[in-house]
């Protein structure tokens, strides 16, 4: 899969995202960084990917087990105070609607920590290669 990010060329920092099957996705910088705060910033997408993955993973597990999960609500609180020192903290709270059994609630919380994004963020080595793309022919 290829994700394409294109500057809007209006002298601002807003970026349009092209992702197969999805329209109207944008990224912007917060006002404090010179953006217009007109869309989520890159940190927001990073953080929300974790919350969404945890919710989806818990739902899949509950459905497979036949548990009466009606929905998941996830909150992420970011603490980026020490990001410049290599520490980025995310505090995730989950609410599992429709389940009252403490054992099931505990298990869903544990399972959410096994979601692919949690593992990617905490246990994987991510290798990034950045290069210049060739200029398009006119």
């Amino acid at each position: 899969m290829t994700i394409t990010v294109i500057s809007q060329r209006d002298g601002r920092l807003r970026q349009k995202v092209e992702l197969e099957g999805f329209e109207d996705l944008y990224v912007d910088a917060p006002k404090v960084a010179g953006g217009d705060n007109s869309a989520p910033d890159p940190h927001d997408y990073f953080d929300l990917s974790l919350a969404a993955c945890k919710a989806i993973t818990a739902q899949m597990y509950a459905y497979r087990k036949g548990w009466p999960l009606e929905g998941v609500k996830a909150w992420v609180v970011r603490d980026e105070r020490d990001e410049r020192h290599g520490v980025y903290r995310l505090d995730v709270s989950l609410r599992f609607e429709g389940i009252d059994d403490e054992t099931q609630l505990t298990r869903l919380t544990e399972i959410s920590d096994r979601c692919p994004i949690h593992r990617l963020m905490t246990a994987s080595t991510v290798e990034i290669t950045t290069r210049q793309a060739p200029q398009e022919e006119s």
Side-chain angles (χ1 to χ4, degrees):
M1 175 204 309
T2 300
I3 298 170
T4 304
V5 177
I6 305 166
S7 295
Q8 297 295 278
R9 296 187 181 204
D10 58 3
R12 305 208 183 256
L13 300 177
R14 185 176 166 102
Q15 310 291 308
K16 180 174 178 39
V17 178
E18 292 181 355
L19 178 61
E20 186 176 322
F22 299 93
E23 296 180 18
D24 301 324
L25 292 175
Y26 293 91
V27 181
D28 199 358
K31 288 187 185 240
V32 70
D36 291 326
N37 204 36
S38 66
D41 73 27
H43 282 87
D44 296 332
Y45 280 105
F46 183 83
D47 302 352
L48 75 82
S49 70
L50 177 63
C53 189
K54 284 179 171 289
I56 291 167
T57 300
Q59 284 179 294
M60 290 169 57
Y61 186 84
Y63 296 159
R64 196 168 47 247
K65 290 290 191 178
W67 294 352
L69 181 64
E70 296 169 4
V72 179
K73 189 166 186 179
W75 295 266
V76 178
V77 177
R78 172 191 315 150
D79 178 353
E80 56 192 325
R81 288 177 295 186
D82 296 322
E83 183 179 359
R84 291 179 188 250
H85 302 290
V87 180
Y88 187 79
R89 294 176 186 89
L90 297 175
D91 180 36
V92 182
S93 299
L94 301 170
R95 180 179 299 148
F96 303 110
E97 303 290 340
I99 293 184
D100 297 322
D101 182 286
E102 282 300 321
T103 302
Q104 291 177 347
L105 292 169
T106 298
R107 186 67 178 143
L108 288 174
T109 302
E110 292 169 353
I111 288 297
S112 78
D113 283 345
R114 295 183 184 170
C115 83
I117 299 299
H118 185 119
R119 290 186 306 196
L120 180 67
M121 290 177 171
T122 61
S124 297
T125 298
V126 177
E127 297 179 3
I128 300 171
T129 303
T130 305
R131 63 182 154 273
Q132 292 185 33
Q135 295 295 324
E136 294 181 33
E137 298 288 324
S138 303

